[in-house]
């Protein structure tokens, strides 16, 4: 140190000299100054470096980070528009019911309109057969087209805009990742809205929740696809910048969204895998107990992952509001145990009776103010078997007509259910009757808790259709009985245009026909020229056809016993015909479609519903050729 420099000033002067030399040399940048470093320098990795800042700004100008949030809005507007269109169609259907009671429906449309609707139905009703369709729950062709259009829309939003990546991870998150993540988050409210038993979309569109469940499942698949698309760029971008070390550093960085995004992705993968139909059916109790808790956890993890970025939480708040509102309505209105109109913690009195062929008949005595419509179902909870489990069952009866000024507690409605024993609760229900010493004829007395009713149809079937055809397999007849009862009542009241009702019921054993004898026999007696019944016993090798009446039904043994000549001439009125063979619906159905306006309802195994849907789809040619006006189909299923 020179003698004339004081110790206190010499370091400052030396530092100034060093800085001056560094700046003048140009290729020797000090560790604290990165402003003028070239972009290729590894130290030029933040906006403190002018070259990095310029590249960062150029990248954002090309594909704005803020603009990626608009893609969530596009998804929202898409499904709101779809709901709006369905609402308009719902209003049309309600208005059609009103007009059907005022003038003949056949005079309200032109032949061209009928043919256009027939083409739509021909496509919409078509189903795919095979193991792949059964395993993954492939819907009808019409629903599949709507799902495909939605998928294409999402794919275009996701991949149409370039670039997918930025030049450097430090320039911002990859645009592909941001917009796909926002679109996945935007699907969250509609996924929950499509799932609820108390369904606000049902209230606005008239589409029952079990039909909407198809879209709930497929939109969830799309959400998983978007979530994976959201994840992959966050892995690729740091790998491109510097390999695994950079990825690891980015992943474990404090507040890293890569880290917080892993748990919700894993949760979503688990939810979707368990929801695949063949897995859900095989492990239903496992799925039932985990599905909602896993989704609640998924929603909470999304709040953690999103960090209140712009409007990302809006979708989550909307999801939470929809779910809580649905739960509140279901708990305090639909679930009769906690309904604000009932005494809490009390079930409805019921009787359980064993029927032939592994069938259980459940009769519930409901308050007179508990009403339901044909085709609706409820969820039953059986406390003496399981407090936690509840299962959906179609109501096989119609509510009693009450006299005027009747008090709500002075009359009771009988809700009847036919429950086929498979496994789990349904099998336990049958065993509980077998092991019980029944003193009274109507069965074992129990208390059951009812949640419902749900579902049903918007159309006024008796006022709109001249012919009604019901095709049922096994316990699926429960979905047909209330419509036959209701239509018979409307015909008696002269408020229906129906002139023919045909029931086709497939059972394994002839003895099972007596399941519905006491319900069906009075209807056939009251309308012998209106109601026609064909029983198909599927396990017999004989193709003989015989007539049966109510007395004969109670005497029939198993299906291998052919009816004798004497028994086929028993007293009338006759209940129907027994065919000891399996029907081929594409051959059977055309001969039954003789009216101008026909309604077809099917309920039974998946194979039956598929065959029936394809047969009705093929028969739309009658409308196209002018031989009919409308041939419409409705199928019932409890595959959700």
């Amino acid at each position: 140190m020179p003698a004339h420099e004081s110790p206190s000033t010499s370091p400052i002067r030396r530092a100034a000299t060093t800085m001056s030399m560094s700046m003048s040399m140009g290729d020797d940048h000090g560790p604290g100054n990165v402003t003028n470093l070239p972009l290729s320098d590894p130290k030029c990795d933040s906006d403190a470096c002018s070259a990095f800042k310029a590249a960062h700004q150029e990248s954002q100008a090309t594909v704005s980070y803020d603009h990626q949030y608009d893609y969530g809005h596009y998804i929202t507007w898409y499904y709101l528009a779809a709901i709006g269109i369905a609402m308009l169609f719902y209003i049309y259907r309600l208005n059609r019911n009103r007009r059907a009671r005022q003038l003949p429906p056949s005079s309200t449309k032109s032949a061209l309109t009928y043919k256009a609707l027939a083409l739509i139905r021909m496509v919409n009703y078509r189903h795919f057969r095979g193991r792949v369709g059964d395993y993954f729950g492939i819907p009808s062709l019409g629903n599949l087209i709507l799902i495909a259009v939605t998928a294409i829309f999402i794919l275009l939003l996701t991949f149409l805009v370039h670039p997918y990546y930025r030049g450097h991870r430090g320039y911002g998150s990859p645009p592909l990742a941001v917009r796909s993540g926002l679109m996945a988050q935007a699907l969250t409210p509609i996924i929950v809205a499509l799932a609820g038993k108390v369904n606000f979309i049902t209230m606005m569109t008239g589409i029952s929740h079990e039909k909407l469940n198809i879209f709930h499942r497929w939109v969830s698949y799309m959400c998983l696809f978007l979530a994976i698309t959201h994840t992959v760029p966050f892995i690729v971008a740091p790998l491109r910048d510097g390999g695994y070390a950079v990825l690891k550093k980015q992943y474990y960085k404090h507040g890293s969204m890569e880290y917080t995004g892993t748990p919700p992705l894993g949760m979503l993968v688990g939810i979707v895998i368990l929801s695949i139909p063949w897995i859900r059916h095989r492990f239903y109790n496992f799925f039932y107990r985990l599905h909602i808790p896993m989704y609640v956890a998924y929603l909470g993890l999304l709040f953690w992952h999103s960090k209140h970025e712009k409007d990302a939480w809006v979708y989550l708040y909307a999801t939470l509001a929809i779910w809580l509102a649905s739960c509140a309505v279901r708990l305090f209105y639909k679930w009769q145990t906690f309904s604000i109109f009932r005494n809490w913690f009390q079930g409805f009195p019921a009787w359980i009776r064993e029927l032939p062929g592994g069938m259980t008949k459940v009769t519930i005595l409901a308050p007179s103010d508990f009403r339901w419509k044909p085709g609706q179902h409820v969820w039953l909870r059986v406390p003496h078997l399981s407090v936690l489990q509840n299962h959906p069952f179609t109501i096989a009866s119609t509510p009693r007509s009450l006299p005027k000024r009747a008090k709500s507690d002075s009359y009771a409605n009988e809700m009847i259910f036919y429950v086929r024993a498979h496994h789990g609760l349904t099998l336990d229900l049958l065993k509980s009757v077998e092991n019980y010493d029944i003193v009274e004829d109507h069965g074992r007395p129990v208390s059951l808790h009812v949640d419902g009713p749900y579902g049903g149809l918007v159309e006024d079937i008796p006022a709109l259709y001249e012919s009604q055809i019901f095709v049922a397999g096994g316990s699926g007849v429960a979905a047909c009985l209330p419509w036959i009862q209701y239509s018979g009542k409307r015909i008696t009241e002269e408020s229906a245009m129906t002139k023919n009702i045909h029931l086709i019921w497939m059972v394994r054993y002839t003895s099972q026909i007596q399941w519905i004898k006491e319900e069906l026999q009075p209807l056939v007696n009251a309308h012998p020229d209106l109601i026609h019944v064909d029983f198909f016993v599927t396990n017999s090798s004989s193709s003989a056809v015989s007539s049966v009446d109510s007395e004969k039904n109670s005497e029939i043994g198993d299906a291998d016993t052919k009816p004798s000549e004497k028994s086929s001439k028993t007293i009338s009125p006759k209940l129907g015909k027994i065919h000891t063979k399996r029907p081929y619906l594409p051959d059977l159905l055309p001969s039954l479609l003789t009216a101008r306006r026909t309604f077809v309802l099917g309920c039974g195994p998946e194979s039956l519903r598929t065959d029936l849907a394809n047969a009705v789809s093929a028969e739309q040619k009658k409308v196209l050729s002018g031989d009919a006006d409308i041939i419409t189909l409705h199928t019932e299923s409890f595959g959700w």
Side-chain angles (χ1 to χ4, degrees), residues 74-306:
Y74 302 152
I75 290 291
T76 304
W77 284 115
Y78 176 85
Y79 61 69
L80 288 179
I83 293 173
I85 294 171
M87 288 175 63
L88 293 176
F89 186 59
Y90 182 41
I91 295 171
Y92 160 76
R93 293 159 74 193
L94 293 176
N95 186 55
R96 183 177 62 171
N97 288 344
R98 180 187 61 81
R99 288 187 287 109
R101 301 183 185 100
Q102 299 174 356
L103 71 160
S106 58
S107 64
T108 60
K109 288 189 183 72
S110 66
L112 184 61
T113 303
Y114 286 131
K115 292 181 179 181
L117 291 174
L119 285 173
I120 294 173
R121 292 188 178 104
M122 182 179 290
V123 174
N124 185 37
Y125 295 159
R126 178 63 57 179
H127 276 69
F128 298 98
R129 298 200 61 178
R131 291 187 176 182
V132 174
D134 293 341
Y135 283 171
F136 294 98
I138 304 297
S140 68
L141 182 57
N143 287 338
L144 197 61
I145 289 174
L146 180 56
I147 291 168
V149 169
T150 304
I152 291 171
F153 176 72
I154 289 175
L155 288 172
L156 290 176
L157 288 181
T158 305
F159 297 110
L160 195 61
V161 179
H162 290 263
Y164 297 158
Y165 295 89
R166 302 189 186 278
H168 191 282
R169 178 65 178 86
Y171 299 163
S173 299
L176 176 62
V178 178
R179 62 174 172 268
S180 57
L182 265 297
M183 287 192 288
Q185 198 132 312
L187 288 176
T188 308
I190 193 64
I191 289 173
V192 172
L194 289 167
K197 305 296 180 293
V198 174
N199 199 298
F200 300 109
I201 298 179
T202 297
M203 297 176 189
M204 293 185 289
T205 65
I207 304 172
S208 184
H209 76 88
E210 71 271 16
K211 301 297 183 182
L212 293 175
N213 191 265
I214 296 171
F215 300 102
H216 163 72
R217 187 169 63 247
W218 283 88
V219 173
S220 298
Y221 297 160
M222 297 177 198
C223 183
L224 177 60
F225 167 78
L226 288 170
I228 294 173
T229 306
H230 169 68
T231 302
V232 170
F234 281 113
I235 299 174
V236 173
L239 288 176
R240 290 169 58 179
D241 287 347
Y244 175 75
V246 176
L247 173 62
K248 183 178 180 180
K249 180 181 178 181
Q250 177 67 28
Y251 185 84
Y252 289 106
K253 185 174 65 176
H254 178 71
S256 163
M257 298 189 77
E258 286 87 346
Y259 182 83
T260 61
T262 303
L265 176 63
M267 195 68 66
L268 182 60
V269 170
I271 292 171
V272 171
I273 289 177
L274 287 176
S275 300
I276 295 173
W278 70 272
I279 297 178
R280 184 179 72 246
H281 294 157
R282 188 176 180 85
F283 306 101
Y284 180 78
N285 289 332
F286 185 69
F287 161 82
Y288 176 78
R289 289 180 173 88
L290 286 183
H291 190 65
I292 293 178
M294 287 179 70
Y295 200 87
V296 172
Y298 169 71
L299 188 62
L301 290 169
L302 281 184
F303 274 103
W304 177 44
H305 174 58
S306 302

